[in-house]
């Protein structure tokens, strides 16, 4: 999940406008973190809004002239992997290898964890991550902190989350002061 230094994942005026991330998303530290996350994942879990954004853009990167090889590899993974999209508004998936599910997020995660396979990767879907955090269903939390204040907007960490400890398993700093942090839940 991408966060501003003041703790927001989206600007206050338009939660879908992610232009503030773009100057930092193309850094080595951000690309390397993303690569480390998707390489072990066999399922992508997304909310509908993020599915529409990710699956509308990333397939176009495959074969794009000048594309960073890490971006192209992620795009291929996203196209080829199984995707579970949480939605109560669409009934049929317009994307290959995608299943639409209209059930509570924590229940879907529990069902997915009971199946064989690799990691389940939630791709920047704040509503999904927030629901999983509230249900204490997150095993690993990867954050990319960008050195910008948004001055408002939605926050990832709402009051009332279950108490718990997290262990820092990796950290890296990059261009422009970008930080990539990965925490595992201590159970």
């Amino acid at each position: 999940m991408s966060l501003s230094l003041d703790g927001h994942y989206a600007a206050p005026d338009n939660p879908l406008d992610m232009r503030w991330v773009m100057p930092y998303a193309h850094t080595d530290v951000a690309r390397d973190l993303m690569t480390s996350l998707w390489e072990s994942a066999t399922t992508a879990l997304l909310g509908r809004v993020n599915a529409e954004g990710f699956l509308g853009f990333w397939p176009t990167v495959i074969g794009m002239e000048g594309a960073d090889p890490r971006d192209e590899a992620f795009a291929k993974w996203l196209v080829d992997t199984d995707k579970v999209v949480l939605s109560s508004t669409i009934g049929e998936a317009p994307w290959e290898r995608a299943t639409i599910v209209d059930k509570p997020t924590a229940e879907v995660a529990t069902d997915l964890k009971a199946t064989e396979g690799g990691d389940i990767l939630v791709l920047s879907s704040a509503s999904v991550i927030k629901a999983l955090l509230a249900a204490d269903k997150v095993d690993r939390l990867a954050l990319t902190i960008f050195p910008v204040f948004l001055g408002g907007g939605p926050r990832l960490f709402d009051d009332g989350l279950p108490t718990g400890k997290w262990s820092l398993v990796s950290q890296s700093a990059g261009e422009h002061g970008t930080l990539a942090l990965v925490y595992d839940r201590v159970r």
Side-chain angles (χ1 to χ4, degrees):
M1 188 73 188
S2 299
L3 295 177
S4 64
L5 193 57
D6 60 347
H8 302 280
Y9 63 83
D13 52 343
N14 182 356
L16 299 178
D17 183 358
M18 296 302 291
R19 284 183 290 181
W20 67 275
V21 170
M22 296 318 293
Y24 310 103
H26 299 290
T27 63
D28 285 332
V29 72
R31 283 179 165 129
D32 290 344
L33 175 63
M34 180 59 84
T35 299
S36 74
L37 298 173
W38 67 257
E39 284 183 323
S40 62
T42 56
T43 305
L45 179 60
L46 303 114
R48 179 195 51 83
V49 172
N50 263 31
E52 290 171 345
F54 271 70
L55 298 169
F57 170 73
W58 282 104
T60 68
V61 173
I62 299 169
M64 181 186 288
E65 186 176 329
D68 186 284
R70 293 166 292 187
D71 293 345
E72 193 165 2
F74 171 72
K76 288 177 183 175
W77 172 84
L78 185 60
V79 168
D80 294 340
T81 198
D82 292 328
K83 294 165 278 297
V84 176
V85 179
L86 299 166
S87 178
S88 61
T89 59
I90 58 175
E92 195 170 310
W95 314 287
E96 289 183 34
R97 298 188 66 137
T99 304
I100 306 297
V101 178
D102 183 9
K103 291 179 13 181
T105 304
E107 185 179 327
V108 172
T110 299
D111 292 348
L112 287 172
K113 285 177 87 170
T115 63
E116 286 189 32
D119 293 339
I120 302 160
L121 178 60
V122 178
L123 296 167
S124 299
S125 293
S127 62
V128 175
I129 296 169
K130 289 172 82 152
L132 293 174
L133 285 169
D136 200 15
K137 296 283 185 183
V138 176
D139 296 322
R140 175 163 281 183
L141 186 61
L143 303 171
T144 308
I145 311 295
F146 298 121
V148 60
F149 277 16
L150 293 178
R155 294 184 179 276
L156 183 62
F157 304 113
D158 293 329
D159 288 342
L161 289 174
T163 59
K165 293 191 176 211
W166 295 80
S167 174
L168 182 65
V169 294
S170 73
Q171 62 184 335
S172 58
E175 304 94 326
H176 315 293
T178 300
L179 295 175
L181 306 170
V182 179
Y183 292 92
D184 280 349
R185 179 72 166 91
V186 177
R187 301 229 184 251

